[in-house]
């Protein structure tokens, strides 16, 4: 629950400052039901926090990362020289082994959500990390690959779909895709934006994939293996593989959810299944 997580995030500066030797200030979501203590067995999730003027130094690693901006103004992520100024709701992709650094050029603290496929990479025994020679990269030309998805455009697309018929399992669901290839934003993790319209209750189903949700706005609930979990803005929810689950919105306003899911990985392996 965000009410429990946010105070811990904001206490981070009491314990460390980003720099060489302590590259990132993050609170990782530790799931006691997962042997690796990550969010799911394939997804690691954390909330990252920077004070005004701070820089999280440039480095690269074999896991791919996806970042959803949560709060504050002035944050940026530079990926291979492409500086992406992140506003709340924006999504920025850091593909495997791309140089990236973060900074806060604003007047207030900033925070965003990190999702990585590091549990998969670690299992494959190809986990690698390398620091950059400089704290910040030199900013250059924009990337040829789509790495920055702006909230205004994403939410407008979701609203456009909300006038049509919903999916029986997810109501209104939209995946972020690379416009050049039509593929998911990373090979192992897909990113999704979802709306549960007022009064909607989806059908229960199982998937072989796992997911981590963040509630962008609104209130609702998810029933997982017959246990109901009520959630509100800012909360996180993890769904394990083959867990029966259904979502609902009993309020008068739409609820919007963002999620990381390992669907692309399972599809590539021919292992993705959905069962009503």
């Amino acid at each position: 629950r965000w009410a429990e997580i946010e105070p811990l995030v904001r206490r981070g500066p009491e314990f460390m400052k980003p720099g060489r030797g302590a590259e990132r200030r993050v609170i990782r979501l530790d799931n006691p039901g997962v042997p690796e203590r990550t969010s799911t067995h394939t997804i690691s999730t954390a909330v990252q926090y920077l004070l005004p003027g701070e820089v999280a130094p440039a480095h690269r690693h074999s896991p791919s990362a996806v970042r959803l901006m949560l709060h504050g103004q002035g944050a940026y992520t530079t990926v291979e020289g492409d500086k992406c100024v992140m506003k709340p709701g924006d999504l920025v992709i850091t593909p495997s082994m791309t140089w990236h650094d973060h900074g806060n050029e604003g007047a207030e603290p900033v925070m965003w959500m990190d999702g990585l496929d590091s549990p998969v990479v670690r299992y494959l025994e190809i986990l690698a990390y390398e620091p950059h020679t400089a704290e910040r990269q030199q900013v250059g030309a924009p990337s040829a690959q789509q790495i920055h998805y702006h909230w205004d455009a994403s939410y407008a697309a979701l609203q456009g779909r909300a006038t049509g018929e919903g999916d029986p399992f997810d109501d209104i669901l939209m995946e972020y895709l690379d416009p050049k290839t039509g593929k998911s934003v990373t090979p192992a993790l897909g990113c999704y934006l979802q709306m549960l319209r007022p009064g909607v209750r989806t059908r229960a189903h199982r998937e072989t994939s796992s997911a981590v949700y963040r509630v962008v706005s609104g209130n609702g609930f998810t029933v997982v293996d017959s246990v109901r979990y009520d959630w509100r803005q800012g909360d996180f929810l993890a769904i394990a593989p083959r867990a029966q689950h259904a979502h609902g919105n009993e309020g008068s306003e739409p609820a919007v959810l963002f999620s990381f899911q390992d669907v692309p990985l399972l599809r590539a392996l021919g292992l993705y299944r959905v069962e009503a």
Side-chain angles (χ1 to χ4, degrees):
R1 298 187 183 281
W2 186 239
E4 299 170 358
I5 296 170
E6 184 179 15
L8 299 177
V9 174
R10 294 192 181 278
R11 286 191 62 192
E14 298 176 25
F15 302 102
M16 63 85 67
K17 178 179 176 60
R20 293 307 182 194
E23 300 277 317
R24 303 289 188 259
R25 182 193 291 121
V26 302
I27 294 291
R28 195 180 75 186
L29 304 189
D30 182 333
N31 191 336
V34 177
E36 298 82 7
R37 304 298 289 253
T38 49
S39 300
T40 77
H41 66 298
T42 59
I43 305 171
S44 178
T45 310
V47 178
Q48 190 162 167
Y49 189 63
L50 282 182
L51 298 177
E54 288 186 331
V55 173
H59 64 209
R60 63 180 180 178
H61 40 65
S62 46
S64 297
V66 288
R67 313 181 195 283
L68 180 72
M69 186 65 188
L70 302 181
H71 299 288
Q73 301 286 341
Y76 69 85
T77 293
T78 302
V79 182
E80 292 286 339
D82 186 356
K83 185 176 181 179
C84 305
V85 177
M86 302 189 294
K87 297 181 178 179
D90 284 5
L91 178 68
V92 174
I93 312 302
T94 307
S96 174
M97 293 308 290
T98 54
W99 295 110
H100 58 281
D101 55 87
H102 314 291
N104 180 2
E105 297 176 327
E108 60 181 324
V110 295
M111 62 180 75
W112 60 86
M113 173 185 178
D114 292 326
L116 292 88
D117 57 9
S118 49
V120 177
V121 176
R122 186 182 301 111
Y123 176 78
L124 295 173
E125 298 189 0
I126 52 172
L127 190 64
Y129 161 84
E130 182 182 356
H132 199 283
T133 54
E135 185 179 59
R136 308 187 201 198
Q137 301 172 66
Q138 185 173 353
V139 177
S143 172
Q145 181 179 349
Q146 176 84 24
I147 61 170
H148 191 180
Y149 296 79
H150 297 272
W151 171 252
D152 289 347
S154 301
Y155 187 56
L158 185 69
Q159 287 180 307
R161 297 185 182 205
T163 58
E165 185 176 352
D167 180 90
F169 302 133
D170 294 297
D171 199 19
I172 307 301
L173 184 70
M174 178 181 76
E175 183 180 5
Y176 292 81
L177 298 173
D178 184 321
K180 291 185 177 180
T181 65
K183 295 181 178 180
S184 301
V185 293
T186 80
L189 290 185
C191 293
Y192 301 80
L193 199 58
Q194 179 176 355
M195 180 184 291
L196 298 173
R197 294 170 293 184
V200 161
R201 177 158 184 167
T202 68
R203 287 187 64 191
H205 64 294
R206 293 186 177 93
E207 298 174 79
T208 50
S209 56
S210 64
V212 177
Y213 291 86
R214 157 85 180 191
V215 183
V216 177
S217 62
N219 304 298
F221 65 91
T222 299
V223 178
V224 184
D225 288 336
S226 302
V227 179
R228 174 169 166 154
Y229 297 91
D230 291 285
W231 40 255
R232 61 180 58 192
Q233 183 176 2
D235 288 353
F236 294 89
L237 183 75
I239 304 290
R242 295 195 54 76
Q244 179 178 293
H245 60 285
H247 309 290
N249 178 3
E250 297 172 331
S252 59
E253 298 293 329
V256 178
L257 306 172
F258 172 88
S259 62
F260 307 128
Q261 302 186 29
D262 56 11
V263 172
L265 173 63
L266 295 184
R267 279 184 171 150
L269 296 173
L271 296 174
Y272 180 64
R273 301 285 187 277
V274 179
E275 178 184 292

